[in-house]
Amino acid sequence: MSKMSLLGRDDSESNSQDDGSKSLSESSSSASSENDHPAENANRLSMMQTLIHLLKCNIGTGLLGLPLAMKNAGILVGPVSLLAIGIITAHCMVILLNCANRLSQRLQKTFVSYGEAMMYSLETCPNAWLRTHSVWGRYTVSFLLIVTQLGFCSVYFMFMADNLQQLVEEAPVTSNTCQPRKMLVLTPILDIRFYMLTILPFLVLLVFIQNLKVLSVFSTLANITTLGSMVLIFEYIMQEIPDPSNLPLMASWENFLLFFGTAVFTFEGVGMVLPLKNQMKHPQQFAFVLYLGMTLVTILFICLGSFGYMRFGSNTQASITLNLPNCWLYQLVKLMYSIGIFFTYALQFHVPAEIIIPFVTSQVSESWTLFADLSVRTALVCLTCFSAILIPRLDLVISLVSSVSSSALALIIPPLLELITFYPEDMSCVTIAKDIMISIVGLLGCIFGTYQALYELIQPINRSTANSTDVYSHNYLFLF
């Protein structure tokens, strides 16, 4: 009988089709499996579809906050630090892939998830206590994945509602002529929570789509709208860039901690690495897709963050859309990017759904499986909506979510996983030192970033709008 664990998947090979495990192995048995199941193979992702998903998973709401992140770090320290974080994050993704592949070979499994990789590696480690409690490695990783991905989804709710409110309530004062913004306070027409509840049913219907190949169509649409909005943003910020020599090279360490949280959050794709490779027709090509995708993403992040900060300087807002002129052309940027985020929600939602739903459906009879599946999806979407309603300060939520869980999944756990997995194979001292250093950096960023984000969150909400997206308080502050 197969064994189903909470926060995990079925351990048996018989249920591996839920996470597409039959496509991962690069051995001859995998090739044979693909030939035996042509219909299943037809539903797998091509290299281009995988690249589209990878780009969309990483290009989210954090991208628009990068100019403020650069302000929090400094015009010199910011780009250099963002490049370093991008390289380290991509390297940790490669580490995760290598560990999953090695454990798959050892255990003769076709697919090993992130949580399973942690559990199986602990089962073979020298420490007896860790071997005995190895299942908690799986629980911990699965819990962090759920918190991280649902945190992303909550931020998406805030972002979409925020932009929808701006589009609707700025409409009477939106002009056809694009001029730099000026300060103006407007009385809100509807509470932002109304807009969140308006979006809710549409997202519930979206997450009912479970097939990643079907979602690739929406990912393509999301990438197109995101690309269009990026073109308009770059077209504006590249005009009349002031002399950057007046900007500080380095900011205070307190603000740098906020930069760290935002930067780690921006690279949102670590949770989708193994599921995407698992769904590929030719998973041996995933390494190339990963390197190409992360290179493009890092270049885009550095350019937008640096040029955005140079363009707006001390007036840089928490989202660069708040610095754009209040005309219909740049209102279109908000609309297009919100559409992209809407479809990206389903991709980020896929990870916690694939962890939680199999456990829930295993507890009910087959006739109730579909109802249980859809009920869990609906409940999780509602949870992200209510979380967004309770905490409206977008940039600080980004820093908090990233400092706690994203840094653990992206920077702390992969190097430790490599140490545990490959230590019996005589790892070099350089590799050991490298893994320890990356984990320490991630841990320090997690601790101090969490402290700083919590400190900012408990401050009075009107103390400063420089580092907050809460432009909708008692009176709505618009920058026209």
Side-chain angles (χ1 to χ4, degrees):
M1 181 179 294
S2 64
K3 180 181 179 182
M4 179 71 70
S5 62
L6 182 62
L7 301 178
R9 275 203 170 274
D10 195 332
D11 291 336
S12 70
E13 290 292 322
S14 62
N15 287 339
S16 62
Q17 61 185 2
D18 287 336
D19 48 29
S21 59
K22 295 180 182 177
S23 73
L24 188 64
S25 175
E26 299 173 16
S27 63
S28 59
S29 62
S30 174
S32 175
S33 175
E34 289 180 2
N35 292 332
D36 293 339
H37 302 279
E40 181 182 349
N41 188 47
N43 289 326
R44 302 214 175 268
L45 301 175
S46 67
M47 186 169 68
M48 181 57 66
Q49 289 172 327
T50 306
L51 178 62
I52 290 172
H53 275 318
L54 183 65
L55 292 175
K56 200 66 212 79
C57 286
N58 282 280
I59 301 176
T61 58
L63 173 63
L64 300 180
L66 284 176
L68 179 64
M70 293 297 181
K71 176 184 174 182
N72 287 332
I75 192 60
L76 175 62
V77 175
V80 173
S81 300
L82 187 60
L83 175 62
I85 291 175
I87 293 174
I88 293 174
T89 302
H91 177 66
C92 288
M93 290 179 179
V94 174
I95 288 176
L96 182 58
L97 290 174
N98 292 337
C99 291
N101 288 338
R102 182 56 57 91
L103 290 168
S104 297
Q105 295 170 6
R106 286 182 189 173
L107 302 169
Q108 296 183 340
K109 287 181 172 289
T110 51
F111 173 68
V112 175
S113 68
Y114 198 163
E116 289 172 336
M118 195 66 195
M119 180 180 68
Y120 293 141
S121 64
L122 290 176
E123 287 178 352
T124 59
C125 74
N127 187 283
W129 188 89
L130 290 177
R131 290 198 304 271
T132 304
H133 299 84
S134 60
V135 68
W136 284 100
R138 179 180 188 172
Y139 293 161
T140 301
V141 170
S142 297
F143 175 76
L144 290 174
L145 281 171
I146 292 172
V147 171
T148 301
Q149 301 302 121
L150 292 183
F152 291 157
C153 292
S154 294
V155 172
Y156 290 174
F157 247 113
M158 299 180 204
F159 179 84
M160 289 184 289
D162 189 48
N163 280 276
L164 181 59
Q165 186 177 40
Q166 291 179 42
L167 286 170
V168 172
E169 302 195 6
E170 290 182 2
V173 292
T174 301
S175 65
N176 294 323
T177 304
C178 297
Q179 299 293 335
R181 290 194 170 221
K182 61 182 180 179
M183 300 292 292
L184 180 64
V185 176
L186 297 179
T187 302
I189 301 174
L190 294 172
D191 192 281
I192 192 171
R193 289 168 289 190
F194 170 82
Y195 294 94
M196 292 183 184
L197 295 175
T198 301
I199 299 169
L200 177 60
F202 298 99
L203 284 175
V204 169
L205 293 176
L206 179 66
V207 301
F208 286 170
I209 302 174
Q210 305 177 30
N211 192 305
L212 282 179
K213 188 175 180 65
V214 176
L215 286 176
S216 67
V217 177
F218 296 109
S219 281
T220 303
L221 177 61
N223 280 333
I224 292 173
T225 57
T226 302
L227 178 62
S229 62
M230 286 295 102
V231 170
L232 290 175
I233 290 175
F234 273 105
E235 182 271 335
Y236 181 75
I237 65 176
M238 295 302 291
Q239 301 175 16
E240 302 177 0
I241 295 181
D243 184 5
S245 62
N246 297 324
L247 300 176
L249 299 179
M250 179 185 300
S252 65
W253 71 270
E254 295 95 341
N255 286 338
F256 183 81
L257 293 177
L258 292 177
F259 162 83
F260 179 85
T262 302
V264 173
F265 173 88
T266 305
F267 295 95
E268 304 176 18
V270 63
M272 287 295 294
V273 169
L274 292 179
L276 284 177
K277 182 178 181 180
N278 168 46
Q279 292 287 340
M280 286 190 72
K281 291 180 182 178
H282 306 289
Q284 65 273 14
Q285 298 176 339
F286 186 75
F288 171 77
V289 174
L290 180 61
Y291 284 120
L292 176 61
M294 293 307 296
T295 299
L296 295 175
V297 165
T298 303
I299 292 173
L300 174 63
F301 288 176
I302 293 175
C303 290
L304 181 63
S306 301
F307 289 127
Y309 178 39
M310 287 190 293
R311 176 67 172 82
F312 302 113
S314 60
N315 294 322
T316 303
Q317 300 298 311
S319 174
I320 195 173
T321 57
L322 297 175
N323 287 109
L324 299 179
N326 186 47
C327 62
W328 289 112
L329 175 63
Y330 292 106
Q331 291 290 65
L332 184 62
V333 170
K334 299 176 185 178
L335 177 60
M336 291 192 297
Y337 208 89
S338 295
I339 292 173
I341 292 300
F342 177 83
F343 292 120
T344 306
Y345 184 101
L347 290 176
Q348 301 292 4
F349 185 88
H350 179 80
V351 175
E354 288 297 291
I355 295 173
I356 298 173
I357 290 176
F359 169 76
V360 175
T361 54
S362 68
Q363 309 301 310
V364 300
S365 62
E366 186 175 353
S367 60
W368 287 90
T369 298
L370 179 60
F371 176 79
D373 184 306
L374 299 182
S375 297
V376 171
R377 292 176 183 274
T378 302
L380 290 176
V381 176
C382 292
L383 175 63
T384 61
C385 178
F386 297 148
S387 299
I389 289 174
L390 291 175
I391 309 175
R393 301 187 68 182
L394 179 60
D395 62 320
L396 297 181
V397 173
I398 287 174
S399 294
L400 183 60
V401 170
S402 302
S403 297
V404 175
S405 52
S406 297
S407 59
L409 291 171
L411 300 178
I412 300 175
I413 295 179
L416 297 179
L417 184 61
E418 184 177 41
L419 288 173
I420 299 172
T421 303
F422 291 98
Y423 186 78
E425 304 178 16
D426 298 325
M427 296 177 65
S428 68
C429 295
V430 175
T431 302
I432 294 174
K434 177 262 299 180
D435 287 341
I436 294 176
M437 185 177 300
I438 293 176
S439 293
I440 291 175
V441 170
L443 181 61
L444 291 176
C446 176
I447 294 173
F448 292 111
T450 300
Y451 167 79
Q452 185 65 22
L454 289 174
Y455 175 79
E456 294 285 340
L457 276 171
I458 64 177
Q459 299 304 306
I461 201 167
N462 60 351
R463 64 187 268 275
S464 173
T465 58
N467 288 348
S468 174
T469 56
D470 186 32
V471 292
Y472 304 103
S473 52
H474 299 292
N475 286 321
Y476 285 30
L477 176 62
F478 294 106
L479 302 174
F480 294 120

